Amino acid sequence: MTTKRIIPCLDVKDGRVVKGTNFVNLRDAGDAIELAEKYSQEGADELVFLDITASIEKRKTLVEFVRETARAVSMPFTVGGGISDIYDIENLLRAGADKVSLNTSIVKNPQLIAEAAKNFGSQAIVAAIDVNKTADGYRVFIKGGREATPLEGIAWCRRVEELGAGEILLTSMHCDGTRNGYDIEMLSEIQSFLQIPVIASGGAGEFKHFLDAFVEGKADACLAAGLFHFGEMSIKDLKQYLSNNGLNIRI
């Protein structure tokens, strides 16, 4: 049985962790390095660090900041934000990241996935896909959720797998920050098409939401932010709950 993973997400702006609702109305959640250390000590399975304004501000993720964060944690560590080419990926992996998360850049240049997988291995390449539920179905958004694309969400998930992505970080923008639960319908539909792991993101508000994502949505990992950042839920208690409900989870 595959071990399910719990992943805190650090959405970082100017060195501070922020959290909003539906990708807007951001509020400060603390120092990024301090939170990274805290989650490492609490037993998180992985950590995701996203420089959420890098693409819209047309700048690069700060390599030195990544290096400092990587030194603070003892778990696999994914970095995203403003990554546009192979050189960016190489620099971040050299700085200590285990994986890179690609979003805007792969929509603009899908072949970057294949090139990156060839150079660094699929296991290091995470396709981050932000999907919003619209009148036309699930639509892919880029630039931190600020710009709609013509891409349909499920079709784009299948495409990034074909190109060589090793994992998908799937964020439901319409659920993000609402605390009403993950989009189980979308998760289960996507999982019926894919072979690679899917990380569910957007909407967690209570223990059962994680259980539903794992059992009904068939997610391989669940990502959350505000619940952990503001002390509303501990990773230890969450993992114990999931284990008590029959999931294979690292305690």
Side-chain angles (χ1 to χ4, degrees), residues 10-100:
L10 305 182
D11 291 328
V12 178
K13 181 180 181 182
D14 302 324
R16 302 288 295 180
V17 176
V18 294
K19 186 69 187 102
T21 301
N22 305 129
F23 282 39
V24 296
N25 300 321
L26 301 178
R27 58 176 172 148
D28 188 271
D31 179 80
I33 303 299
E34 291 177 2
L35 282 172
E37 291 176 328
K38 173 177 177 286
Y39 295 138
S40 182
Q41 294 166 2
E42 288 182 355
D45 296 295
E46 297 184 21
L47 183 70
V48 170
F49 158 51
L50 299 176
D51 191 341
I52 61 171
T53 58
S55 291
I56 191 69
E57 294 174 2
K58 294 183 172 59
R59 61 180 169 80
K60 306 298 185 185
T61 302
L62 299 178
V63 173
E64 184 52 44
F65 180 75
V66 171
R67 187 175 290 115
E68 185 179 355
T69 304
R71 284 197 296 262
V73 303
S74 57
M75 56 187 160
F77 176 45
T78 300
V79 177
I83 304 170
S84 60
D85 55 39
I86 288 295
Y87 303 105
D88 291 339
I89 297 171
E90 182 176 10
N91 287 337
L92 291 169
L93 294 176
R94 285 183 179 274
D98 297 278
K99 309 175 190 177
V100 294

Side-chain angles (χ1 to χ4, degrees), residues 4 19 64 72 76 85 93-94 109 111 144-145 150 157 161 171 202 207 212-213 246 248:
K4 302 297 186 181
K19 186 69 187 102
E64 184 52 44
D85 55 39
L93 294 176
R94 285 183 179 274
N109 175 24
Q111 287 306 313
C157 286
E161 180 181 44
T171 299
F207 287 162
D212 290 344
N248 185 17

Side-chain angles (χ1 to χ4, degrees), residues 6 24-25 54 86 108 141 156 169 172 199 233:
I6 299 298
V24 296
N25 300 321
I86 288 295
K108 294 181 176 296
F141 281 66
W156 181 233
L169 169 53
S172 304
I199 303 168
M233 181 185 292

Side-chain angles (χ1 to χ4, degrees), residues 143-209:
K143 296 184 178 178
R146 295 170 178 84
E147 182 178 310
T149 76
L151 296 171
E152 193 277 326
I154 294 174
W156 181 233
C157 286
R158 297 178 72 175
R159 179 63 176 146
V160 299
E161 180 181 44
E162 291 170 357
L163 288 166
E167 192 165 32
I168 290 173
L169 169 53
L170 183 67
T171 299
S172 304
M173 293 176 60
H174 48 287
C175 298
D176 181 68
T178 64
R179 308 294 178 89
N180 293 325
Y182 298 99
D183 188 332
I184 303 301
E185 181 181 354
M186 181 175 67
L187 280 171
S188 59
E189 184 174 356
I190 284 173
Q191 285 285 34
S192 67
F193 294 109
L194 300 177
Q195 300 299 315
I196 60 176
V198 174
I199 303 168
S201 171
E206 58 186 68
F207 287 162
K208 190 174 185 301
H209 292 158

